[in-house]
Amino acid sequence: MTLAACAALFGAAAGSGVTWWATRDSSSTARSSDDGRRLNSLRASSAGYARVDDSGGGRILDVTVRGLPSTSGYFEVWLMDRTHSKLVSMGVLGPDGHAALPVPQNIDLGEYSVVDVSVQRFNGSSDHSGDSLVRGPFSG
């Protein structure tokens, strides 16, 4: 009985901590210029930031997601239009929750202005799974 009560208390504290971390600073669209613009969390445990850096001659999409769920698959980074009907796969998020991905010059960032990070299964499909963690416009 005591063990169950301790486990429940620990679970509540851990859940509250994750919720606080994921929602803190929600009044600001960007935590800092280094992190980029805060993405909308589509899962309570995940928070993300994205920016495009074009200072080095090429364009780099820099994405960071914290609070990644456990998966037997992988996390895909996408650029999409505002209607979420046109998507371009940019690459895979690293196991540390970070990716710095080159953006080809033929991609119009005015049209593809939304970043999405999805949970993908190893099933041979190159389509978006429909299971997104974070989504929103990038800074830069």
Side-chain angles (χ1 to χ4, degrees):
M1 182 78 161
T2 303
L3 182 58
C6 287
L9 183 59
F10 177 75
S16 295
V18 167
T19 300
W20 170 83
W21 180 85
T23 60
R24 76 188 195 307
D25 199 27
S26 61
S27 62
S28 171
T29 57
R31 196 173 74 175
S32 77
S33 59
D34 290 341
D35 290 334
R37 181 169 289 167
R38 186 179 180 120
L39 303 174
N40 297 320
S41 297
L42 303 175
R43 289 195 184 182
S45 63
S46 298
Y49 299 87
R51 67 184 171 96
V52 171
D53 181 5
D54 60 0
S55 63
R59 301 181 302 175
I60 301 295
L61 174 62
D62 193 288
V63 179
T64 300
V65 179
R66 296 183 181 103
L68 294 173
S70 296
T71 182
S72 59
Y74 60 100
F75 304 100
E76 185 88 17
V77 178
W78 304 82
L79 284 176
M80 57 178 51
D81 69 346
R82 287 183 181 95
T83 67
H84 309 160
S85 60
K86 296 195 283 185
L87 310 143
V88 176
S89 172
M90 297 305 297
V92 176
L93 196 67
D96 62 349
H98 180 256
L101 305 163
V103 179
Q105 289 300 318
N106 63 344
I107 292 180
D108 179 358
L109 293 178
E111 181 178 0
Y112 291 92
S113 59
V114 177
V115 174
D116 179 277
V117 177
S118 65
V119 180
Q120 299 289 128
R121 292 177 303 225
F122 290 112
N123 60 5
S125 174
S126 60
D127 294 335
H128 191 290
S129 68
D131 186 6
S132 295
L133 299 174
V134 293
R135 180 182 297 154
F138 51 83
S139 68

